[in-house]
């Protein structure tokens, strides 16, 4: 891990807050943030995730401190959320001479969306309450508050479940921040955090993200997308309705138009309005990875409907029922590590199979050594981990994925020898 000075850290924060979002040019600044914050808190994104526990709540899974630290590695995601928070704070400071009260739920170990701003900008009128369920995160955040000398900005730091936490007075906050989500609002408690905390937002207040829009599409082999519609939107109105007990948006149906039953698949997307004109859209980060159902999971018939329901058996998910979904489901055994694809690459067949099984609801946790081997494999092939994971999910057969991966390898100026790639990957598995 590189030793980063405070001055270099502040430069990185300033660049991320002020420059146009760009995963390529901004990645070094994200690395500086991560290295500095890891050093100061002792919570490092490179730690083995298997050594750190998630917190399972009645409303979803609160990811572990290390997994939360890893989220910072997604450049566009981190930069756009940081810029959205900055703009929201500035808008409210410009509209009032009063203090601006911020509630940040699910801070992770770094409180990434707020503490960097307080460190480099003079924001004396910003008063923040910070909540996280993990004691390790709370300890790390307190360390950073003292280190950056921003105690005057902090009203309280609370170790609590944000879906249960109680404020001392109603409608007290100008801004409520929570980035506790995955694509399609699965698994994590974002929906229920906003539903609960919306009661504490001032009438003129704002949630960040402002909107999370889930849409369904029909797509064909030519990748022509036909929008069916938005089937769920998480915003302040929906959050307040849920708080009042109106869960009608948790179920519904969408009509398949006539003429779309041949050769079309069903795709789900997640679009995020962070704040104002700052958006994260399809394929920009892991929060926007689309889900396209395999043909046997989505037999589409014109004139019929696809129904959905948001269920929460301690891990929220939208469950879709298609016009014909009666084929038996089988669970495959994963291939061994050394099974090769056509050009001799190892591990990749197993990685693809795991992604497809997870995509279709049969969850298989990935051991840390295998995850690191997968990261190394994509790195050696010149593919970002985000793009690699996206490709694993979007290609509906191994043959299609293999063709795509081979093209990426062939496009490299000096592709590494397959034997050298296999050697490094297998060494990761053995560590």
């Amino acid at each position: 891990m590189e030793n980063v000075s405070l001055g270099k850290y502040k430069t990185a924060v300033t660049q991320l807050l002020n420059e146009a979002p760009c995963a390529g040019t901004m990645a070094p600044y994200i690395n500086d943030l991560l290295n500095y914050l890891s050093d100061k808190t002792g919570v490092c994104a490179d730690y083995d995730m298997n050594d750190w526990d998630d917190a399972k709540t009645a409303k979803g899974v609160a990811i572990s401190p290390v997994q939360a630290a890893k989220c910072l590695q997604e450049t566009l995601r981190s930069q756009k959320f940081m810029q959205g928070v900055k703009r929201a704070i500035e808008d409210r400071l410009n509209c009032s001479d009063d203090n601006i009260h911020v509630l940040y739920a699910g801070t992770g170990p770094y409180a990434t969306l707020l503490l960097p701003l307080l460190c480099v900008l003079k924001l004396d009128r910003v008063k923040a309450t910070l909540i996280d369920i993990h004691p390790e995160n709370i300890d790390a955040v307190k360390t950073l508050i003292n280190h950056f000398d921003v105690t005057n900005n902090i009203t309280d730091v609370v170790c609590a479940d944000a879906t249960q936490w109680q404020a001392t007075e109603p409608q007290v906050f100008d801004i409520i921040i929570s980035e506790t989500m995955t694509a399609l609002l699965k698994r994590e408690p974002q929906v229920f955090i906003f539903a609960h905390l919306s009661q504490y937002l001032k009438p003129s207040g704002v949630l960040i993200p402002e909107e999370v829009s889930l849409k369904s599409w029909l797509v064909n082999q030519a990748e022509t997308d036909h929008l069916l519609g938005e089937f769920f939107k998480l915003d302040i109105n929906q959050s307040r309705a849920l708080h009042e007990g109106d869960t009608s948006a948790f179920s519904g149906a969408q009509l398949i138009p006539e003429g779309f039953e041949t050769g079309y698949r069903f795709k789900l997307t997640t679009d995020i309005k962070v704040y104002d004109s700052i958006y994260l859209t399809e394929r920009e980060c892991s929060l926007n990875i689309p889900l396209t159902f395999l043909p046997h999971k989505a037999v589409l018939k014109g004139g019929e409907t696809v129904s959905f329901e948001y269920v929460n058996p301690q891990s929220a998910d939208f469950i879709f029922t298609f016009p014909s979904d009666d084929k038996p489901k089988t669970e495959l055994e994963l291939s061994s590590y050394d099974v090769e694809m056509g050009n001799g690459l190892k591990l990749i067949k197993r990685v693809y199979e795991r992604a497809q099984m997870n995509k279709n609801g049969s969850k298989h946790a990935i051991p840390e050594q295998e995850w690191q081997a997968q990261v190394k494999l994509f790195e050696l092939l010149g593919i970002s981990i985000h793009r690699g994971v996206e490709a694993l999910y979007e290609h509906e057969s191994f043959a299609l994925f293999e063709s795509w991966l081979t093209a990426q390898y062939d496009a490299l100026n000096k592709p590494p020898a397959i034997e050298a790639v296999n050697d490094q990957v297998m060494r990761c598995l053995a560590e």
Side-chain angles (χ1 to χ4, degrees):
M1 183 173 64
E2 181 186 354
N3 186 21
V4 177
S5 67
L6 179 58
K8 191 174 183 181
Y9 169 82
K10 289 184 176 180
T11 297
V13 173
T14 301
Q15 290 293 114
L16 289 164
L17 291 176
N18 296 326
E19 294 298 320
C22 176
T25 59
M26 294 294 108
Y29 299 116
I30 287 290
N31 290 335
D32 287 343
L33 256 69
L34 188 57
N35 288 335
Y36 191 85
L37 296 171
S38 297
D39 178 59
K40 299 307 174 186
T41 62
V43 180
C44 180
D46 293 333
Y47 287 161
D48 189 336
M49 289 193 296
N50 293 321
D51 294 336
W52 297 71
D53 293 330
D54 296 332
K56 294 179 173 59
T57 77
K59 300 298 185 181
V61 176
I63 60 174
S64 73
V66 167
Q67 193 171 351
K70 288 180 183 292
C71 292
L72 179 53
Q73 295 173 321
E74 292 197 67
T75 303
L76 282 179
R77 170 181 176 176
S78 299
Q79 186 181 14
K80 288 191 176 185
F81 265 95
M82 289 171 65
Q83 290 185 346
V85 171
K86 175 177 179 282
R87 189 180 297 181
I89 288 173
E90 290 175 341
D91 284 350
R92 272 140 193 84
L93 289 174
N94 291 334
C95 291
S96 171
D97 293 328
D98 297 330
N99 287 337
I100 304 301
H101 295 277
V102 178
L103 176 61
Y104 187 174
T107 62
Y110 308 145
T112 309
L113 307 185
L114 185 62
L115 286 188
L117 278 70
L118 300 180
C119 173
V120 301
L121 303 177
K122 189 172 179 59
L123 299 170
D124 294 338
R125 289 196 285 127
V126 173
K127 306 299 177 184
T129 297
L130 310 179
I131 303 174
D132 199 276
I133 198 171
H134 292 280
E136 301 94 334
N137 286 342
I138 294 298
D139 291 342
V141 166
K142 287 181 176 178
T143 296
L144 292 176
I145 290 169
N146 292 326
H147 175 72
F148 292 135
D149 192 23
V150 293
T151 53
N152 288 338
N153 292 111
I154 308 303
T155 303
D156 203 0
V157 183
V158 184
C159 187
D161 179 348
T163 66
Q164 303 294 325
W165 176 79
Q166 299 293 318
T168 56
E169 55 182 305
Q171 296 184 321
V172 67
F173 295 103
D174 300 277
I175 302 170
I176 295 178
I177 306 165
S178 189
E179 200 259 277
T180 48
M181 59 179 289
T182 61
L184 298 172
L185 296 170
K186 291 186 173 189
R187 191 169 182 260
E188 296 184 43
Q190 179 86 38
V191 172
F192 302 98
I193 288 177
F194 271 1
H196 176 67
L197 296 181
S198 62
Q199 63 185 302
Y200 304 122
L201 188 67
K202 292 179 180 179
S204 60
V206 63
L207 297 176
I208 295 181
E210 278 195 277
E211 296 178 2
V212 180
S213 174
L214 307 186
K215 299 182 181 73
S216 62
W217 306 75
L218 295 177
V219 298
N220 59 21
Q221 292 297 327
E223 298 300 321
T224 302
D225 293 359
H226 299 271
L227 177 64
L228 282 180
E230 181 181 71
F231 64 90
F232 184 81
K233 180 167 73 174
L234 180 65
D235 59 6
I236 185 56
N237 293 329
Q238 184 61 71
S239 299
R240 285 175 169 152
L242 291 171
H243 177 68
E244 295 298 324
D246 180 2
T247 60
S248 58
F250 278 176
S251 61
Q254 292 186 307
L255 179 68
I256 304 296
E258 296 290 350
F260 281 93
E261 59 266 26
T262 303
Y264 283 88
R265 294 165 291 155
F266 194 74
K267 183 178 79 168
L268 305 178
T269 59
T270 308
D271 294 318
I272 302 169
K273 179 182 180 181
V274 180
Y275 178 74
D276 193 23
S277 60
I278 300 174
Y279 285 83
L280 282 163
T281 59
E282 187 173 343
R283 302 182 180 182
E284 287 196 323
C285 74
S286 67
L287 303 181
N288 310 112
I289 293 176
L291 172 60
T292 303
F293 288 82
L294 294 174
H296 75 271
K297 293 281 289 185
V299 180
L300 306 177
K301 295 182 179 179
E304 296 195 34
T305 58
V306 176
S307 60
F308 65 88
E309 183 179 10
Y310 196 55
V311 298
N312 183 46
Q314 296 188 335
S315 183
D317 196 0
F318 277 97
I319 304 300
F320 282 79
T321 303
F322 298 98
S324 297
D325 190 15
D326 51 6
K327 290 190 177 181
K329 313 295 187 297
T330 59
E331 185 170 303
L332 302 174
E333 291 294 329
L334 294 172
S335 296
S336 62
Y337 297 128
D338 57 1
V339 171
E340 299 176 355
M341 59 179 264
N343 66 357
L345 277 177
K346 295 182 179 180
L347 180 65
I348 199 65
K349 182 73 179 296
R350 179 184 179 92
V351 168
Y352 177 82
E353 289 170 352
R354 186 189 298 280
Q356 292 302 306
M357 294 171 77
N358 287 343
K359 174 179 172 179
N360 290 291
S362 180
K363 300 299 181 184
H364 283 254
I366 183 169
E368 179 65 18
Q369 294 94 327
E370 187 173 331
W371 169 253
Q372 294 301 333
Q374 179 177 327
V375 171
K376 174 60 68 175
L377 175 60
F378 285 135
E379 175 188 315
L380 293 171
L381 298 180
I383 303 168
S384 71
I385 186 62
H386 159 62
R387 182 65 189 105
V389 171
E390 180 183 77
L392 287 168
Y393 277 77
E394 69 183 19
H395 289 93
E396 293 193 5
S397 73
F398 183 67
L400 290 173
F401 176 74
E402 184 177 19
S403 177
W404 175 85
L405 193 67
T406 300
Q408 310 310 303
Y409 177 80
D410 292 342
L412 293 174
N413 289 328
K414 294 182 179 180
I418 295 295
E419 294 79 7
V421 174
N422 287 340
D423 180 63
Q424 292 195 52
V425 168
M426 299 308 284
R427 273 193 281 149
C428 284
L429 291 168
E431 291 178 354

